[in-house]
Amino acid sequence: SGRRGAGRREPPSRSPAGSMGSAAPPVLLVLVLLVALGRPLLGAPGRGAGTWSRFARLPYPQDQLFLHDTFPDGFLWGAGSAAYQTEGGWRQGGKGASVWDTFAHRPAAPPGSAPPGPAGGDVASDSYNNLFRDVEGLRRLGVSHYRFSLAWARLLPNGTAPLNPAGLAHYRRLLGRLRELGVEPVVTLYHWDLPQGLQDAFGGWASPVLPQLFRDYAELCFQHFGGQVRYWLTMDNPYVVAWHGYGTGRLPPGVRGGPRLGYRAAHHLLQAHAKVWHLYNDHFRPTQKGKVSIALSSHWIKPQRMTEKNIKECQKSLDFVLGWFAKPIFIDGDYPESMRSNLSSLLPEFSEVEKNYIKGTADFFALSFGATLSFQLLDSHMKFQQLESISLRQLLYWISSEYNNPQIFIVENSWFVSGSTKRDDAKYIYYLKKFIMETLKAIRYDGVNVFGYTVWSLLDGFEWHRGYNIRRGLFYVDFQSHDKKLMPKSSVLFYQKLIEKNGFPPLPENQPIEGIFPCGFAWGIVDNYIQVDTTPAQFLDSNVYVWDVHQTKKLIKVDGVFTSKRKRQCVDFAAIRLQISLLQEMHVTHFHFSLKWSLILPLGNLSLINHTLVHYYQCFASELLRVNVTPVVALWQPMADNQELPVSLAKYGAWENPETVQAFVEYAKFCFTSLGDHVKFWITMNEPSVKNLTYTAGHNLLKAHAKAWHLYDKEFRRYQKGKISIALQADWVEPACPFSRNDQEVADRILEFDIGWLAEPIFGNGDYPQVMRAWLHRRNSVDLYNFHLPYFSEDEKMLIQGSFDFFALSHYTTTLVGWEKEDALKYDHYLEVQMINDITWLHSPNRAAVVPWGLRKLLKWVKSKYGDVPIYVMANGIDDDQNMVHDKLRVYYIQNYINEALKAYTLDNVNLQGYFVYSFNDKTAPKYGLYSYVANQFEPKPSMKHYRGIIDNNGFPGPETPELLCPEEIASCSECHFFRTRKSLLAFISFIFVAFIVTIFFITYYSKRVERRYK
């Protein structure tokens, strides 16, 4: 028998010892709080240091919720590419060699020397020969702008005159086609591909000659293309060019000049940029009316701990990477003070004239953020022992605070997927979604002035130092094919729809609804295993004690002196009294817990019974009934220790052994007999873990459940009048790419393996899902292993089919799945499924995703699969880390999951009859409780009080909600069953009693007559 695969998310740990959300975020509240915390209206060097403390104070979890809103009117949406990454055609049309051509063509390195560069961009995506193909991709996306770079060596093969006519014609054709489509060009003059001739002749950017040569090249571009270009970028990411091109030598031209040469190259890059800006400003702006800036790249960094020292180190890290270029341009023409004080003579000096010349040479802040620099090309020592992060929103706020609230144009942003990923690039989509969402929050919540966004890139290409090992394009390119056709990935559809809607507008399904649940709705709480303490109360002690007030200050037993004993009562168990009082405080109507089979019948049969424990359970159930709380009792729940089976059964195969089936039936009969007077709501098996279940074990488990159900139905239901079913763990599974048929097939398959495996035989046709059988047949035909799914006989099918009174499920989270293998650690080879994470979702400390709408989808799925069956959500909850801040997440979780359950009941007509929160307290389920347990004391968390409020309102009533008049519940009489089940005895006793009364009457009557006669 095979076991279920790896890489799956476990349900919450249940030790006995221990999206976007469905509701729209309270935007007005968040906005008010954010305004109170201050917006970056005026910036100054060093003011960005307040970013970390500001974001640490934002309201949780409201600030982290998905924001359903749109971008400002006129917001620019675009895509980008770089010449060397996509053009190819390195020897076509008179193009000269660039430093990247030379770097990529290096011969294999001899032992001990630097390794050669990755396979280069000789052909890449072949955009040089497929200009109209690329532009068609832009048309399909519906973008407003396209960022691309000019290949300096294609226009000026040697870096200086003469001009190459073929190169000029190529870019004119591209600009003309963009104009026809109404797509705004955003043109980068220099994107790392310096002509090799300039490197050979002058030493590249290490030479002070280069700024003037770059100015000459820019002037040529402004003259020939300026009439069609409104947005110019002088260069891209000068940090990478200077530091890794001339300092470390990791990238072309591969000069290992150390820090001194790296800082000198940066000095010249800044001078070159300033020259080009002034050239445009003085000679071309009056007629062309365009704007010029420089694309600066940055990481984001967060302190290891929120201390003043660590925050200063984070500020220094940003100064050394982004501020290195941004402060001279946007503030005062000079390097950050932290660089000056730390680098002393390594950092070149600007004269006062140069400072004034460089200061203010940008018409907007062009920001590049993402995979090129973050976690890849950032030197580790520039992190200053702090933690790198990918928070675009915080970086935008920092820039706004630090540099006088500039207009920001995001000219490059995205993440990457594996080079083997073809069409369904779910990981890429969710990173894109995160970055765009953070941009929207920066605009709406933080007042940052962002006016455009550019996804990187339009199509797959050569990814610099990563070669072809990763992909960043919206369109897939098969690099081995001759024609290099563009094939749209799922991210194309995502970005296309986002552009159409200009963001994430609110949708009806994202909004909470008002309404209430029906009369008799079960509001419950779960405790896997109740606290068992059979220590008797002090009032049952018949001994007499005296207080030693002089010496020991303790009670001393008086030998030989006793008081009269009284009969033991259930209320004498202090542990029961405490738990009952907490449940009363919560106002729940139902309490769900599991019995311990291994303790009730330690040997697995009736030869040894733990009567003390059984009596405790009887008392607990009767005390629940006394306070009008319905006990919901599971006969068995798997736990880590022997699966909570008696040792004798666990030792001999557990559920693999057919004898366990009969042992379970005998155990169930004993429980029905012993506890059935008090328990009317039974669960045979609670959350059997399909992940750890073999097919043979699952087969026997289903038969055991069915036999226990029929036993109750035939022998106990008539007079106990209870109901019984099985409770399945049922997390929702969503296709990672909503537009992908393959991903949808994977999601459907996982639902059948996770839920349908045990549900279909009981609630469906009496047999396993056909999807399972077909998949296992396919796997067995190609694998060395034989995953055998057993067959039921016709009698067994009849036995199992319909063995339920309701559908009980436990639901905690939602998982995204796809078919394209992206991350080996999260890939299930057995089911061929890739687990994906939507990083815009809220997550608990244990990384459980908070996805309220997943519950509604699950409930609709159950109804569509198994009809109008009564459904109980038997467990729904999330962890915290003993921190009250994270209990706020639980408040949000409970509120929104219940609201989605209300939508399922109200809008989808799901026959939902109850909802239970997991879990009761932290003592029995650490981190999941509505009550904390500290210093032997239970304290209600805010989430408990919030849940109690929902229970008291029976949902979420609004002004328009009609009043629901429910009949008063009559307290159950746990002792009444004795009389109901002994009617013959009662009739006989009644006859004797009446006869006795009549006899006494006649005796009295005739006695009086005799007395009167004698008188």
Side-chain angles (χ1 to χ4, degrees), residues 65-77:
L65 300 180
F66 197 88
L67 174 59
H68 292 279
D69 202 348
T70 55
F71 284 80
D73 291 341
F75 191 81
L76 301 178
W77 295 104

Side-chain angles (χ1 to χ4, degrees), residues 244-302:
H244 291 303
Y246 295 87
T248 68
R250 286 183 61 187
L251 297 180
V255 178
R256 297 183 177 186
R260 187 179 298 277
L261 190 63
Y263 290 125
R264 189 196 308 167
H267 204 69
H268 297 151
L269 285 163
L270 278 166
Q271 292 171 330
H273 159 76
K275 281 182 177 290
V276 170
W277 187 89
H278 281 287
L279 167 70
Y280 190 85
N281 191 60
D282 296 342
H283 300 286
F284 294 95
R285 191 190 303 275
T287 56
Q288 295 180 1
K289 303 188 184 307
K291 295 182 178 183
V292 179
S293 189
I294 179 173
L296 300 180
S297 185
S298 184
H299 63 307
W300 180 247
I301 197 90
K302 62 182 181 180

Side-chain angles (χ1 to χ4, degrees), residues 3-8 691 825-830 833 835:
R3 286 190 184 275
R4 290 299 311 280
R8 313 296 307 286
K691 182 180 183 297
L825 294 177
K826 296 182 179 179
Y827 188 78
D828 186 333
H829 292 270
Y830 172 56
V833 55
M835 306 299 158

Side-chain angles (χ1 to χ4, degrees), residues 744-757:
Q744 183 63 59
E745 288 178 1
V746 169
D748 292 342
R749 180 163 70 245
I750 300 305
L751 285 170
E752 293 294 358
F753 271 81
D754 280 3
I755 306 173
W757 177 9

Side-chain angles (χ1 to χ4, degrees), residues 178-370:
L178 292 176
R179 184 173 67 249
E180 291 173 9
L181 291 178
V183 175
E184 188 83 56
V186 178
V187 180
T188 308
L189 293 170
Y190 167 61
H191 201 128
W192 305 5
D193 49 353
L194 183 74
Q196 183 63 42
L198 298 182
Q199 182 63 35
D200 293 340
F202 305 104
W205 290 108
S207 169
V209 174
L210 258 288
Q212 182 60 41
L213 297 178
F214 184 61
R215 180 197 177 282
D216 296 341
Y217 161 60
E219 185 173 20
L220 179 148
C221 295
F222 294 154
Q223 289 171 347
H224 288 280
F225 309 128
Q228 300 175 67
V229 179
R230 285 200 308 151
Y231 292 100
W232 289 98
L233 299 173
T234 55
M235 58 188 67
D236 182 88
N237 202 343
Y239 167 89
V240 168
V241 175
W243 192 253
H244 291 303
Y246 295 87
T248 68
R250 286 183 61 187
L251 297 180
V255 178
R256 297 183 177 186
R260 187 179 298 277
L261 190 63
Y263 290 125
R264 189 196 308 167
H267 204 69
H268 297 151
L269 285 163
L270 278 166
Q271 292 171 330
H273 159 76
K275 281 182 177 290
V276 170
W277 187 89
H278 281 287
L279 167 70
Y280 190 85
N281 191 60
D282 296 342
H283 300 286
F284 294 95
R285 191 190 303 275
T287 56
Q288 295 180 1
K289 303 188 184 307
K291 295 182 178 183
V292 179
S293 189
I294 179 173
L296 300 180
S297 185
S298 184
H299 63 307
W300 180 247
I301 197 90
K302 62 182 181 180
Q304 292 203 37
R305 291 185 303 277
M306 284 294 290
T307 65
E308 185 176 346
K309 178 180 182 298
N310 285 346
I311 289 174
K312 284 183 178 178
E313 295 298 285
C314 288
Q315 181 79 3
K316 189 191 300 183
S317 176
L318 291 173
D319 280 346
F320 270 64
V321 178
L322 179 58
W324 184 5
F325 302 92
K327 182 174 175 286
I329 293 170
F330 289 91
I331 299 296
D332 60 6
D334 202 2
Y335 297 116
E337 182 56 36
S338 59
M339 293 185 73
R340 287 233 163 269
S341 59
N342 279 271
L343 299 174
S344 69
S345 61
L346 284 177
L347 203 61
E349 297 272 351
F350 286 119
S351 68
E352 290 303 316
V353 172
E354 287 176 321
K355 289 178 185 177
N356 289 327
Y357 190 73
I358 293 171
K359 180 175 66 176
T361 56
D363 301 321
F364 54 91
F365 198 112
L367 176 66
S368 170
F369 182 77

Side-chain angles (χ1 to χ4, degrees), residues 653-665:
W655 287 108
E656 295 268 347
N657 188 344
E659 293 183 7
T660 305
V661 175
Q662 190 55 40
F664 180 78
V665 175

Side-chain angles (χ1 to χ4, degrees), residues 600-601 606 609 614 665-675:
I600 293 175
L601 302 180
L606 300 179
I609 300 171
V614 172
V665 175
E666 292 176 3
Y667 162 63
K669 184 172 184 177
F670 173 78
C671 293
F672 297 152
T673 303
S674 304
L675 301 172

Side-chain angles (χ1 to χ4, degrees), residues 130-151:
N130 290 278
L131 184 150
F132 288 97
R133 174 204 68 179
D134 293 358
V135 175
E136 177 60 23
L138 295 168
R139 185 197 64 77
R140 179 166 182 167
L141 285 170
V143 294
S144 55
H145 70 272
Y146 177 45
R147 180 192 169 192
F148 65 94
S149 72
L150 305 174

